[in-house]
Amino acid sequence: MAAGESGGIFRTADAGNSWIPVADELPNLAVEDIQFKPGNPSIVFAGAGDDNLYISQDAGTTWTVRAIVRDTACGDGRCDQDNQSGQVDRIRIDPTNPNNMYVVRQSTFSGLGVYKSTDAGLTWSKVLGPNLKDGTASQNDLAMDVKHPQELYAVLSNRGIFKTVDGGANWSQLGPSNGLPQTVAEGAVAVAPTSPGNSRFVYVAIKDSSGTSGFYFSSDGTSWTLQCGSSNQTLCVQDPRGQIFFCCFGDHDGAIVVDPKKEDVVYFTNFNRLYKSTDRGLHLTSIPQHHDDQQSFAIQLLEPATNRMLWAGNDGGLEKVLLVNPDSMPAQSDWMEINRLPVTQFYDLAVAPRNPNLVFGATQDNGVSRYGGTLNWDNLGRCGDATGVVIDPVIPSIVYARCWNGFDESLDGGNTWRWASSGLDQTDLQWKAQTGVFPRAANTLYAGGQRVYKSHREPSGLTWTPISGSLQPPYQLTAVASSWTNENRVYAAFGWPGSGYGAYMFRTLDGGATPWLSITSPDPGEFISSIAVDPADDRILYVTTGALSAAWKPRVHLWKTNDATAQVVAWSSVGSCGVCVGGFLPDARYNDIAISPINHNRVVVVHDVVNGVGGVYETLDGGASWAPAGDLSTLPNTSISGVALECGVDITVSTYGRSMWRLPSSNPDVDTDGDGFSDCAEQYMGTNVTLACPVTSVADDEAIDAWPPDFNDDTFVDITDVNRMAAQRFGAMRGDPDYNPRYDLNADGFIDITDMSTVQSRFGQTCR
């Protein structure tokens, strides 16, 4: 089994060639640890966020919540507040008495530590950790000596290293008298399961409060010796990328794993490296994989007894390698990438307006990915973390995305990329800020930091020009959007995501020729995550906020104004939802918003997980009432990060941890009347999606126009229809006074030679 950091649990029965999600309905999919019950592999435990401990009693096929790991009794002063939520991790089970279980709770908040259960995980009490008012304990680790299961070792970040010999009843802190540092910023610990004789082979990796790192070994669990670390790294580290000992994790997970049958062989994973030692840590060799940023590691014993399968989880996914000797050092080319786990963390997405099978996604640490109609996505290999991906609305072969060094662009649909940030001040760009795009012109984007910039195309490439001064320093741009018909009408929001303050809004009606005007923000207390402008009326705005409400003060997250050009902008909350709890949209962080270009009263919003469910909601009446978009129980319970409405019908969403999803009931390729034009295109053109032939032969009877190329409703495509098409102004675009969508036969927003070719290809045909 494997788990995604925010994607839930997956099960394989064929050594990783195929995987099945088995826990999408669980309340929190941020699973950090999975452990089988000793002696009974049918029972499996998993630790997750929001203090959840899960259990499966059928070898991982189905799962339920076992318990909420929290100690509120406060009998010994180590109590937990109700609003202190943590991550359940490092599940350790006594092999001699499986009712005795231990876990750690990870968090940046105080009051966390080591917890114990004596009833197989049903109830828990804290046995080690600071009390409510005493410091922090974030990245914790826990190891059990399976030969002596009453002996456990714990690393509490910012606290120290602790040992118990009586199952957690009493703990002693290990320090300088044991050969270890007094203070520990972060670290990891492991006990060899096959220590010889009465010895206890224990390994510890530590970064102390001064930043000095070291890898330590003990043969008795009491006295430690520094094996390799910052002080001697040039002698003990073998790494072609530099002889540097990296420890430990920062905000990433890591671990020490000892070979189950050979106690001298040890692996150490951390954010930057996967190390291996065959001499108890005296020498550490970096084992390269296809991706850095290590997250998890496991060893699978195989037959014959010398064989091992190494499994490594990192920000690039899951990899495995077969060793025929436990001392072997695998090369990067030996690793096999497992590409069947849909756990990509997408920040946002872009869908081609006239090709729903072309989708680009900006990912966490995997650059830009491309969907071409099959589940075999293309990793385009551009930058690490990417965000703000946009398809050019006029030239769809051009794709833009933000990387660590600003914007990049591809002119060939994502195959090759180049830097595209000339003129753009990149020093204060807000990560995950919305990228604005003008729908009627190529190469016209809006972005920025303390100022708003607009792009245009020069012979040398994409060039950016500031169209504002520093509007609200030191706050940075979080959202920006332009009118659909006037590129000089732009709305922008500034703030610091998650800071609890910000949300300053500004507008320009003349492209920045005169100073921008500060306008009223709908929620001055929190940042604005996205802005959407009504395609038909650029005075109408919708905004979403990324506020996280306090329990005592529920917050509105979706707002609308009918006149953003007024001297004083009036906002109204538009979250009424008759089927929602409390009659209002869920109280969560809202991430994105999309408006249909066909039915401007149709709006879709998405939000983070709340009450175990990520949300996709839509309105068909301009925000007066909302309802779930489809059956949300068919979506995994993870955060929805982005939404697109291509052709105004089909909903596609990106998730942060479970790839992308599409609502099947709104397939834009459906052709109900079988006339060769999709329902989506016919809705755009204003023809009837259920009639292949007109009911009457009344010319220009718009109420019953049926077959799109038959403009005069006489059931034939003939010279009359060709002449009507020829009378249109070629080059007319959506928003122009002389643009008539009835003649835009491919619904691309333009009347051009492609539409005339469609009429000519049907010449002489009849709908009957």
Side-chain angles (χ1 to χ4, degrees), residues 128-252:
L128 177 67
N131 63 32
L132 178 63
K133 299 179 181 179
D134 185 17
T136 62
S138 52
Q139 287 291 338
N140 304 329
D141 200 7
L142 182 66
M144 174 185 287
D145 186 342
V146 294
K147 293 174 62 177
H148 312 91
Q150 293 292 302
E151 297 183 13
L152 295 96
Y153 302 81
V155 178
L156 299 188
S157 297
N158 304 310
R159 306 291 297 176
I161 303 173
F162 300 85
K163 177 181 179 180
T164 179
V165 296
D166 54 13
N170 298 281
W171 295 81
S172 58
Q173 184 169 358
L174 306 175
S177 63
N178 308 100
L180 295 171
Q182 178 66 45
T183 58
V184 176
E186 54 186 4
V189 60
V191 182
T194 56
S195 302
N198 291 322
S199 62
R200 279 100 161 136
F201 278 25
V202 188
Y203 297 91
V204 175
I206 297 172
K207 178 189 288 184
D208 66 21
S209 58
S210 69
T212 301
S213 300
F215 193 85
Y216 296 81
F217 169 73
S218 173
S219 60
D220 59 8
T222 300
S223 300
W224 265 264
T225 302
L226 175 66
Q227 305 289 80
C228 181
S230 304
S231 60
N232 62 344
Q233 58 192 10
T234 58
L235 300 176
C236 63
V237 175
Q238 299 179 34
D239 188 344
R241 294 168 290 182
Q243 293 174 286
I244 302 174
F245 177 71
F246 288 95
C247 180
C248 291
F249 319 123
D251 60 351
H252 289 69

Side-chain angles (χ1 to χ4, degrees), residues 320-453:
K320 68 176 182 178
V321 64
L322 176 66
L323 299 185
V324 296
N325 186 315
D327 292 330
S328 299
M329 294 289 182
Q332 179 176 341
S333 58
D334 296 330
W335 290 87
M336 176 186 295
E337 292 185 278
I338 307 296
N339 296 318
R340 297 294 182 180
L341 278 168
V343 293
T344 301
Q345 295 174 318
F346 283 103
Y347 289 122
D348 51 41
L349 78 162
V351 182
R354 297 169 297 281
N355 181 7
N357 286 324
L358 179 61
V359 183
F360 292 87
T363 75
Q364 189 277 328
D365 211 21
N366 285 273
V368 179
S369 293
R370 179 179 60 198
Y371 171 78
T374 73
L375 295 181
N376 294 318
W377 285 64
D378 301 315
N379 188 326
L380 303 179
R382 188 64 176 186
C383 66
D385 290 271
T387 187
V389 64
V390 171
I391 299 174
D392 192 285
V394 177
I395 310 174
S397 60
I398 301 179
V399 186
Y400 312 94
R402 267 190 57 196
C403 296
W404 62 271
N405 62 341
F407 277 87
D408 287 0
E409 68 174 353
S410 172
L411 304 182
D412 56 8
N415 294 322
T416 60
W417 293 78
R418 67 182 187 182
W419 185 70
S421 296
S422 177
L424 179 65
D425 184 358
Q426 305 163 48
T427 57
D428 56 1
L429 297 182
Q430 182 68 250
W431 189 243
K432 294 198 298 182
Q434 182 181 18
T435 300
V437 58
F438 179 54
R440 287 185 54 196
N443 310 305
T444 308
L445 309 180
Y446 305 87
Q450 294 184 24
R451 298 189 290 178
V452 179
Y453 288 76

